[in-house]
Amino acid sequence: MTETKQDKKPIILSGIQTSGKLTIGNLIGAMQNWVKLQETHDCYYMLADLHSITVKQVPAELRKQTLDVTDMLLASGIDPERSVLFAQSHVPEHSMLTWVLTCNAGMGELARMTQFKDKSKQHADNINAGLFTYPVLMAADILLYQADLVPVGADQKQHLELTRDIAQRFNSTYSPTFVVPEPYIAPIGAKIMSLQEPTKKMSKSDENDKATLFLHNSDSEIRNKIKRAVTDSGSEVKMSDDKPGVSNLMTLYHIATGKTYAEIEAEFEGKGYGEFKPAVADAVAEYLRPLREKFTLLRKDEKMLKAVLAAGADQARRQAFKTVRKVYKKVGFIQL
Ligand code: TRP
């Protein structure tokens, strides 16, 4: 990112947790979008490893998965020459700004966060304070880089609203300091549902492995999961609210082949699920194979993956440091 002032592009920041394996939903809903945004924006893409430890992690697994996610982002087209790709834990300013923002966030507003309520139920044995202050760390992630736009899924919109509130409050208490970020709403992408319960979203943390297509799954795993996907009564291949299973498979087929829903309906007219499911299975396996092959190739070079993160951390720190220095001065810490 060596542009001059005049051709300054809007700044994007987004983050992805490293506490799970990536799914086809992440690819369609986030990663492909991130790749496109590189053409028109200055992008910071962050591995949110500090966020990951708000739920219990096995340290060796966390290390491995952070490199896996780095690799998958590179394989999908994130270009470290154009975007800043870095891990949150490599930039100490995230923790530094979080503390100051924590002192500018209310217990009441944090207690209203629906993700906190959901996660407290999910992890009743580990309701740590980090789960509670999670959105403040996320606000620091965004405000450190003076991001104009933040691509987030629906589940994170409340956190972005809170980020805006904190930024505005800080700006009016101390003087303008932070850009107040807007949510970036991606052009409506397809929503991918569970293969086993197609009325709920496909999730990386589903207990049933058959419900989810992971980006690291082999051809035969992908084929089997799709062939065993839950379909609906009847036999017609048709997009319809009362056919959530078939509609979901049609979405996957559409993504994998680029065919429209009308074309797909015509293709399988009078043919039934018996022919449809294997066709979807083949198409999706074909679609994901190049990404997985690239991932596997890059994964052999851990030194390269770490070098990418090191360069990203250097670049990120340069900006993050500037923001923290300003903030520390404004709140009254002595500058030596
Ligand atoms: N909390 C986000 C999620 O789970 C990840 C994240 C962390 C993030 N920091 C961020 C997303 C900053 C956008 C901006 O999906």
Side-chain angles (χ1 to χ4, degrees):
M1 296 201 318
T2 48
E3 283 109 12
T4 56
K5 269 258 151 58
Q6 299 99 287
D7 49 10
K8 207 171 173 304
K9 300 173 190 156
I11 297 172
I12 289 258
L13 178 130
S14 201
I16 190 161
Q17 290 225 33
T18 55
S19 45
K21 311 217 181 298
L22 298 173
T23 71
I24 192 169
N26 296 117
L27 178 68
I28 306 304
M31 294 157 65
Q32 288 182 343
N33 219 353
W34 287 13
V35 171
K36 271 202 214 106
L37 286 167
Q38 298 182 113
E39 289 162 23
T40 44
H41 294 72
D42 279 340
C43 302
Y44 290 88
Y45 294 129
M46 184 192 75
L47 305 154
D49 52 357
L50 298 180
H51 278 110
S52 298
I53 64 163
T54 56
V55 304
K56 279 198 190 96
Q57 300 293 334
V58 178
E61 282 287 294
L62 182 60
R63 263 191 294 273
K64 176 179 172 297
Q65 282 175 10
T66 303
L67 290 175
D68 285 349
V69 176
T70 305
D71 180 358
M72 206 53 101
L73 290 172
L74 293 174
S76 72
I78 298 298
D79 175 2
E81 299 289 320
R82 283 204 285 180
S83 300
V84 183
L85 176 61
F86 69 102
Q88 203 178 18
S89 65
H90 292 152
V91 181
E93 284 80 1
H94 289 254
S95 304
M96 296 164 77
L97 183 59
T98 296
W99 177 251
V100 177
L101 298 183
T102 302
C103 297
N104 285 276
M107 293 290 283
E109 60 188 352
L110 291 177
R112 278 199 300 276
M113 296 292 117
T114 56
Q115 181 181 285
F116 171 68
K117 293 188 229 175
D118 293 345
K119 286 203 176 169
S120 306
K121 271 184 221 143
Q122 251 176 300
H123 305 280
D125 58 332
N126 181 25
I127 307 179
N128 63 79
L131 212 49
F132 189 70
T133 57
Y134 178 114
V136 186
L137 175 59
M138 187 161 153
D141 299 338
I142 297 165
L143 301 180
L144 272 176
Y145 301 97
Q146 308 289 1
D148 299 293
L149 290 168
V150 183
V152 282
D155 62 325
Q156 298 296 316
K157 272 186 86 181
Q158 199 186 22
H159 292 161
L160 190 59
E161 271 308 311
L162 179 74
T163 301
R164 291 169 52 84
D165 291 345
I166 292 175
Q168 275 157 348
R169 189 177 311 142
F170 191 98
N171 287 349
S172 69
T173 307
Y174 297 98
S175 76
T177 307
F178 297 123
V179 169
V180 180
E182 303 277 342
Y184 173 82
I185 312 294
I188 309 162
K191 194 161 160 196
I192 300 175
M193 313 303 280
S194 155
L195 296 175
Q196 292 297 315
E197 286 172 77
T199 50
K200 71 176 214 207
K201 214 177 124 182
M202 184 181 280
S203 159
K204 60 184 163 194
S205 46
D206 202 307
E207 278 151 37
N208 186 350
D209 180 71
K210 290 200 205 79
T212 309
L213 294 173
F214 291 102
L215 298 180
H216 66 269
N217 282 155
S218 68
D219 275 356
S220 63
E221 285 169 324
I222 294 165
R223 286 204 175 84
N224 285 332
K225 285 180 183 184
I226 292 175
K227 284 185 194 153
R228 289 188 206 137
V230 169
T231 41
D232 316 285
S233 56
S235 63
E236 220 183 336
V237 175
K238 188 169 153 263
M239 216 51 192
S240 149
D241 285 346
D242 59 7
K243 282 180 162 268
V246 170
S247 299
N248 191 35
L249 293 181
M250 283 183 71
T251 301
L252 288 171
Y253 194 62
H254 157 72
I255 288 167
T257 62
K259 291 176 189 169
T260 66
Y261 293 120
E263 285 168 345
I264 300 169
E265 284 172 15
E267 182 177 351
F268 294 98
E269 169 126 46
K271 290 192 177 152
Y273 304 155
E275 279 185 56
F276 177 56
K277 286 169 92 176
V280 179
D282 284 341
V284 175
E286 289 287 325
Y287 179 72
L288 291 178
R289 190 182 308 128
L291 176 65
R292 188 182 58 249
E293 285 177 351
K294 185 111 191 263
F295 169 86
T296 308
L297 187 72
L298 298 180
R299 197 65 183 82
K300 295 191 177 119
D301 193 353
E302 237 176 71
K303 231 167 121 186
M304 177 280 293
L305 295 174
K306 286 184 180 162
V308 166
L309 291 180
D314 270 354
Q315 267 186 288
R317 280 201 81 175
R318 245 174 281 149
Q319 173 57 41
F321 170 76
K322 280 192 211 157
T323 303
V324 164
R325 193 177 46 189
K326 244 202 261 180
V327 167
Y328 269 28
K329 192 168 163 199
K330 293 200 185 198
V331 300
F333 298 154
I334 291 174
Q335 315 271 293
L336 294 175

